[in-house]
Amino acid sequence: MHPERLKRQAYSVAAMRARARRTLPAAIFDFADGGAEDERTLRRNEEAFDEIALLPRPLNGAAERDLSLTLFGKRLSLPVIIGPTGLAGLFWPDGERCAARAAAAAGTAYCLSHGSVCTLEALAQCGASPRWMQVFIYRDRDFTRELTERAAKAGYDGLVLTIDNQLTGNRERDLRNGFTIPPRLGPAALAGMVIKAPWLLRMRRELRRITFGNYVRPGEAADIGSLAGRMSSLLDPSMSWKDVGELRRVWQGPLLLKGILHPAEAKTAVDHGIDGIIVSNHGGRQLDGAPAAIAALPAVVEAVGGRVPVLVDGGVRRGADVIKALALGAQACLVGRPQLWGLAIAGEAGVSHVLDIYRREIDRAMGLMGIKCLDELGPDCLAGRGV
Ligand SMILES: Cc1cc2nc3c(=O)[nH]c(=O)nc-3n(C[C@H](O)[C@H](O)[C@H](O)COP(=O)(O)O)c2cc1C
């Protein structure tokens, strides 16, 4: 999409979602957009931000605002990080590397999903930094160790252990659409793709290559079907703190736990030497009925007591949402779906555009609130039922 058209038509994250819906085959749009079961948690994520109001003090204003922060020793130019999303390469050719380059250009971090199409080594080769790698605890603990060691060798700056995906959530939009991993295309899905000609044209060569890159073993077929089977059989719902302790021993750099909602679990994580917490319900894709991430944040922040950074994701769609999260004690937010919408519309330029929307909205909201830098954000900047 031409940059001017992008600016004019995709003026907000919601507008980007609407454009992505028009661009993508329905089954692929829903794969990203949907949540588990009745999508209560998915809805709550966004709605919970409505309950929180911002309390401005304009006479404390500044001509220029500073949106930067330091996280794990790296300077980031804005408090919005690209979160891990599997199969980003289904939205745009080489989607993961496009998004990582856009994050680096915007001065922020990119987290690669375990389920990326490109390998973690290929992502590292594009030089985007800071880059984090997301892993699971697998039944085959050696495989967790193997991925971790590969990430260390490839120079990743952080490791993210996702703890809320040990069973796959029940995503009913995918059932309705017949969308599976691997994508098995029935007549309806196929018809849905044909009417999205630009996406199909762009992806026609890629589709054959779509796989879970990190799971392909040397000499083995890269067939996504057998890999998807192996991947879900590898997940282990019986993981425990012992596994977290083991990972802590293997990975020397910053280690984050993603998927924490319970304050007691956050406290135990810190006691196990974890360097960062990501308060998350997996964008409402896993346990339907879980609280909104932003609603769970304050108790986690209190339990952690400033010992390690707390990040949050889920339903962050406006710069003002980022401000609310930071005022409640988060250091930064991650975004999942918005980067996929950016990719779907314009690849790397689309993700750059999404990050630019957040940057402009955060800056404007800070200006209107009389906030000069992120450190000034605290509970006294908020009002409303959610506080
Ligand atoms: C299509 C898709 C794939 C995802 N894949 C992963 C994944 O592989 N690992 C992970 O930890 N989280 C994954 N997530 C969850 C995101 O990292 C993030 O927690 C969530 O999307 C945040 O909510 P948001 O989409 O409202 O920003 C995925 C989310 C989506 C939408």
Side-chain angles (χ1 to χ4, degrees), residues 44-55 292-298 312 320-329 369 378-387:
R44 263 180 210 159
N45 272 349
E46 287 191 35
E47 285 168 5
F49 282 104
D50 297 342
E51 305 289 318
I52 306 168
L54 298 170
L55 206 51
I294 193 71
L297 175 69
V312 65
D321 297 341
V322 178
I323 302 269
K324 291 171 187 176
L326 269 55
L328 288 172
M369 286 184 70
D380 62 330
C381 302
L382 301 177
R385 271 193 287 152
V387 186

Side-chain angles (χ1 to χ4, degrees), residues 147-163:
L147 275 186
T148 304
E149 287 171 351
R150 280 171 58 188
K153 197 163 163 212
Y156 278 72
D157 304 284
L159 191 77
V160 174
L161 171 64
T162 294
I163 62 165

Side-chain angles (χ1 to χ4, degrees), residues 218-236:
E220 255 184 30
D223 157 49
I224 192 172
S226 50
L227 288 177
R230 200 175 106 217
M231 223 168 71
S232 46
S233 73
L234 272 172
L235 294 172
D236 188 354

Side-chain angles (χ1 to χ4, degrees), residues 32 84-86 113-114 134 162 258 282-283 285 313-315 317 336-337:
T85 53
S113 159
H114 77 103
Q134 178 261 314
T162 294
K258 175 172 181 282
H282 215 105
R285 296 165 74 77
D313 76 12
R317 300 291 179 263
R337 294 177 182 86

Side-chain angles (χ1 to χ4, degrees), residues 120-121 133 135 138 141-156 158-159 246-247 249-252:
L120 67 94
E121 289 83 3
M133 179 66 206
V135 296
Y138 297 102
R141 302 298 198 260
D142 286 346
F143 189 58
T144 304
R145 176 188 277 264
E146 184 185 314
L147 275 186
T148 304
E149 287 171 351
R150 280 171 58 188
K153 197 163 163 212
Y156 278 72
L159 191 77
E246 182 56 31
L247 198 59
R249 277 186 287 283
V250 177
W251 176 260
Q252 310 299 322

